[in-house]
Amino acid sequence: LFPCGGRTADTSSPSRPKDGEWFQEKVWIPRGVTAIKIIFTCGGTAGHVNPALALAGLIRERQPGSEILFVGARRGIEKRLIEEAGWPFRAVEVSNFHRSFRPKELRHNLVSLRNFLRSPGEARALLREFPAGLVVGTGGYASYPMIKAASKLGIPTAIHESNAIPGLTTRLLEPHTDLIMVGFEECRKNYKRPDKVLVTGTPVRGDFFHLTKREAKRKLGMDDGRPLIVSFWGSLGAAEMNRETAQFLALEMKEGEPFHHVHGAGAMGFEHMREYLAETGVDLGRAQALEVREYIRDMNVLMRGADLVICRAGASTISELTALGVPAIIVPSPNVTNNHQESNARVLADAGGAVMLLERDSSGRLLYDTACEILRDQERRRRMSAAMASLGSVDAAEKIYAAVMKLGHA
């Protein structure tokens, strides 16, 4: 069932063995094996780090004797996210390559080439210091040296790819890893070795499911019968899309605020949002149901209560939408490698769970009209929600846990 390169589990009998334990998906782990040393390697974006954090937490809960180490780039976002979560972190000197011939970018690429040549030795040194029985990568260029070094040493390796189209790192590592885990069945066709691919979904934080939709709306004080829209364009924001959101908010005020609407403008976008609102004549001080924030800190509650989400198509967002079954209008970012956000969005749109608009075609008016069509048609909302949920995997962390534990103990 899983191409582990080692012993396979016997799942032919449904009875519980006397000298071992069954885990999710009937994965057999001998009773004498209770702990393992695991390296998680990831970086670049929160979407690459969060699945590893979710899985590490589950392993600590299920096998508290296990030792876990995170490895990433020295200057990447992963260092802060991992250390804030309380996990040990070690760095390898690795950096990405820029696709430009400007002098500044050429200098950067020369440094990246030097790091690329040094990083295998650093990875091997880490493996001598922390003799892992399993190395799991969850995306980003920072995971390349650890997975490659572990594979050469005969250590079992696995990769989780959150995006529909595999990134460059995943493509380069496909020949060197034992198992590739993906979010959707449609992803399998994008690999040369589909026999190595296991569909698990992408883990979502458990606190997204602590409340029901009704409880979330009550907690937010938005349970007066009006639908709730949640919109955001990423942690930094996107200038043009924030401008369109200001136009959207102006139309809502003109129509008497038919919806509750919370918008996260992002750290950079928030600085200009006041200007955009002034341009469109929006005075949020007079609004009762409209709110603009720099950053949405209670995303778990807002997403749970949302009737419609308007957003980009990053991997973490896609996994949350599908796990919660929330209809969406998605405007994928055109400024990402391999245009992978459009591929992510198309999976949801083709299934009927989302409406995809390309940024070049988008406008505040089109976003507003599309939102109104969805929110004023309860049957359409129901169909979109069901289609979105059909793509989701609320037990993704369990599936990944089962797969990597089998791999590590094979």
Side-chain angles (χ1 to χ4, degrees), residues 261-281:
H261 189 166
V262 178
H263 176 64
M268 294 175 62
F270 190 73
E271 298 177 11
H272 302 287
M273 200 66 192
R274 187 176 301 173
E275 171 191 336
Y276 301 151
L277 293 170
E279 287 176 358
T280 54

Side-chain angles (χ1 to χ4, degrees), residues 73-316:
R74 197 176 308 280
R75 297 174 183 83
I77 188 177
E78 57 268 26
K79 183 177 189 297
R80 176 178 61 81
L81 295 175
I82 290 162
E83 290 182 343
E84 284 179 357
W87 294 101
F89 175 84
R90 294 291 299 276
V92 292
E93 201 64 64
V94 60
S95 49
N96 62 347
F97 288 90
H98 293 173
R99 300 180 183 184
S100 170
F101 293 102
R102 290 183 296 179
K104 181 180 178 181
E105 307 303 335
L106 288 173
R107 287 194 297 272
H108 170 88
N109 288 342
L110 286 173
V111 172
S112 294
L113 178 60
R114 183 195 66 188
N115 292 339
F116 179 78
L117 295 174
R118 289 174 51 188
S119 61
E122 293 182 351
R124 289 192 298 270
L126 271 173
L127 288 167
R128 287 194 296 270
E129 180 183 337
F130 188 88
L134 175 66
V135 177
V136 180
T138 57
Y141 60 86
S143 63
Y144 181 85
M146 289 306 306
I147 294 286
K148 186 72 178 292
S151 176
K152 283 189 172 183
L153 292 171
I155 299 170
T157 59
I159 294 174
H160 181 272
E161 175 58 73
S162 302
N163 290 304
I165 299 295
L168 176 61
T169 301
T170 299
R171 293 201 304 272
L172 290 173
L173 287 172
E174 183 178 358
H176 307 288
T177 193
D178 299 295
L179 175 66
I180 299 172
M181 298 168 286
V182 298
F184 307 109
E185 181 62 38
E186 291 86 346
C187 303
R188 194 187 298 275
K189 65 180 183 230
N190 298 316
Y191 293 88
K192 295 178 180 178
R193 288 285 306 277
D195 57 301
K196 282 188 176 184
V197 178
L198 175 68
V199 180
T200 61
T202 298
V204 175
R205 284 176 8 216
D207 59 357
F208 274 75
F209 307 101
H210 287 172
L211 301 174
T212 65
K213 189 181 189 73
R214 180 175 297 179
E215 289 169 342
K217 284 180 178 287
R218 187 180 304 123
K219 183 173 182 176
L220 294 164
M222 300 178 185
D223 55 347
D224 59 2
R226 281 183 282 187
L228 168 60
I229 297 173
V230 178
S231 60
F232 50 91
W233 305 113
S235 57
L236 297 179
E240 180 56 35
M241 297 313 302
N242 274 327
R243 191 186 298 275
E244 291 183 14
T245 304
Q247 298 165 0
F248 189 116
L249 292 166
L251 291 167
E252 287 183 283
M253 290 202 72
K254 183 179 179 181
E255 296 294 326
E257 300 180 57
F259 317 120
H260 289 283
H261 189 166
V262 178
H263 176 64
M268 294 175 62
F270 190 73
E271 298 177 11
H272 302 287
M273 200 66 192
R274 187 176 301 173
E275 171 191 336
Y276 301 151
L277 293 170
E279 287 176 358
T280 54
V282 175
D283 179 4
L284 289 178
R286 296 189 296 108
Q288 296 180 345
L290 311 180
E291 185 179 350
V292 174
R293 306 180 189 176
E294 177 178 352
Y295 183 74
I296 298 177
R297 300 190 183 280
D298 56 345
M299 186 67 83
N300 57 320
V301 182
L302 277 167
M303 288 276 277
R304 189 57 162 161
D307 296 287
L308 178 69
V309 172
I310 305 174
C311 59
R312 294 297 201 190
S316 289

